[in-house]
Amino acid sequence: LQGRPAEATAAAEKALQLSTATAVQFLAGQIFVETGALTKAQELAAALAASTEPSVDARVYAKIVEAQIALKKQQPQPAIQLLLDANNLLDTWLGHFNLGRAYLEAGRFVEADSEFDLCITRRGEALTVMDEGPTYGIFPAVFYYQGRVREEMKTASFANSYREYLKIRGQSKEDPRVPDILTRAKN
């Protein structure tokens, strides 16, 4: 998010050297997607999908990473299907959050709004998205994406979503969403 993709990719690679835990693989996969290292992200998704772990977590995380890759490639329809499949395996907060993003990219604003409403209703789950520890830092993005959806829907309440985001992250000098929200608010 700070615009340093090479450093982020290197940190993810280092994390993978130190641990093969499912959560680490998943988080590294997400970083690889965000930094454009899609081949590495796909390799991790394949490794997660092939996991012999007894729980379904690895397979769900694999589908979420695959969906994020599809979104990065601007292919929302395959992403939507992957996320629906993931949520059918295991109903997760991350699955719904990413499904909302995929619906937004597909221009399916009503479905996106519904997914983000669900994420807000289930906000407590954002604290424990991963078993490794608290992860509430992911949660504020729901308000950003909800604001974008409602702005597209020409709903007057879009500004409320942006205000909620700014209450949490508005003082950040490094958050790229803050200037975007401030620009959107002026228009």
Side-chain angles (χ1 to χ4, degrees), residues 83 111 142 155 171:
L83 292 162
E111 291 97 329
V142 173
T155 303
Q171 299 304 313

Side-chain angles (χ1 to χ4, degrees), residues 5 13 24 45 104 108 115 140 170 184:
E13 289 169 344
V24 172
L104 170 62
R108 295 172 60 180
E115 292 299 323
R184 290 172 180 277

Side-chain angles (χ1 to χ4, degrees), residues 64-176:
I64 292 172
V65 171
E66 289 172 0
Q68 290 171 336
I69 292 167
L71 284 175
K72 191 72 165 184
K73 293 179 176 180
Q74 299 179 341
Q75 300 171 343
Q77 289 310 126
I80 289 168
Q81 189 55 58
L82 285 161
L83 292 162
L84 289 171
D85 292 347
N87 285 342
N88 283 333
L89 281 173
L90 183 65
D91 184 20
T92 65
W93 189 92
L94 273 176
H96 289 287
F97 174 71
N98 283 287
L99 185 56
R101 289 181 56 211
Y103 281 139
L104 170 62
E105 294 305 315
R108 295 172 60 180
F109 304 124
V110 172
E111 291 97 329
D113 194 48
S114 177
E115 292 299 323
F116 294 133
D117 278 343
L118 182 63
C119 288
I120 291 168
T121 300
R122 292 170 52 175
R123 74 178 57 209
E125 293 175 49
L127 281 170
T128 57
V129 169
M130 304 298 297
D131 293 334
E132 308 305 311
T135 53
Y136 202 69
I138 300 168
F139 179 74
V142 173
F143 290 117
Y144 171 76
Y145 288 112
Q146 183 185 57
R148 286 199 42 216
V149 165
R150 291 181 176 177
E151 187 176 5
E152 290 291 333
M153 293 170 59
K154 310 284 190 251
T155 303
S157 66
F158 79 90
N160 294 337
S161 299
Y162 288 151
R163 276 194 284 281
E164 288 298 317
Y165 186 86
L166 292 174
K167 279 184 197 175
I168 300 166
R169 300 284 303 157
Q171 299 304 313
S172 173
K173 303 287 187 239
E174 300 163 345
D175 187 332

Side-chain angles (χ1 to χ4, degrees), residues 1-13:
L1 288 174
Q2 295 176 354
R4 300 181 346 217
E7 291 175 49
T9 300
E13 289 169 344

